[in-house]
Amino acid sequence: MQAIGRDGATASELGRRLGVSKQAAGKTIDRLAELGYVERVDDESDGRRKLVRLTPRGIDSLVRSAEIFDDLRARWATSLGPKRLAELEAALRTVVPMDGFRLDVAGWFGV
């Protein structure tokens, strides 16, 4: 759901962001829509396209997950210490593709 972002995404865009086929992204979108986390809407800039957008339930889910992650990160900082945590985060950044999508969802939604 983080890959959908605050502005929404098409199934093709979502597939590229996640490194999966458009069909695989479509199946995931279908299931998330069934569960009430996303909705498909017309793209105002191009009537031929459908955008996938997070619903309030989807946004709430991401905000809650960000809060949980912040709590986990604080625990890691306590266990590892700030220096080792910074080293771990730097090491993880080296394996993330440069064109990957941002995962600062809490910032996207003003939390």
Side-chain angles (χ1 to χ4, degrees):
M1 290 191 313
Q2 291 177 340
I4 293 168
R6 69 174 168 218
D7 298 322
T10 65
S12 294
E13 290 168 337
L14 190 56
R16 280 192 300 276
R17 292 175 186 176
L18 297 175
V20 300
S21 69
K22 178 182 174 182
Q23 292 77 14
K27 287 183 181 183
T28 301
I29 293 164
D30 289 343
R31 185 65 179 140
L32 290 171
E34 289 173 17
L35 295 170
Y37 293 106
V38 301
E39 62 184 352
R40 285 186 171 97
V41 297
D42 292 331
D43 184 343
E44 293 178 9
S45 66
D46 184 346
R48 300 168 294 172
R49 295 182 353 150
K50 287 283 188 185
L51 284 179
V52 178
R53 237 184 6 201
L54 295 169
T55 63
R57 181 177 186 183
I59 293 168
D60 180 61
S61 174
L62 286 178
V63 168
R64 289 174 189 243
S65 70
E67 290 168 354
I68 291 167
F69 181 78
D70 288 344
D71 180 57
L72 286 170
R73 188 179 180 285
R75 290 188 212 175
W76 297 339
T78 299
S79 298
L80 298 173
K83 182 180 179 208
R84 285 183 62 202
L85 179 57
E87 290 168 351
L88 173 63
E89 291 173 334
L92 290 172
R93 279 188 204 95
T94 65
V95 298
V96 175
M98 291 300 290
D99 61 348
F101 57 93
R102 294 176 53 194
L103 298 177
D104 60 348
V105 174
W108 290 352
F109 300 110
V111 174

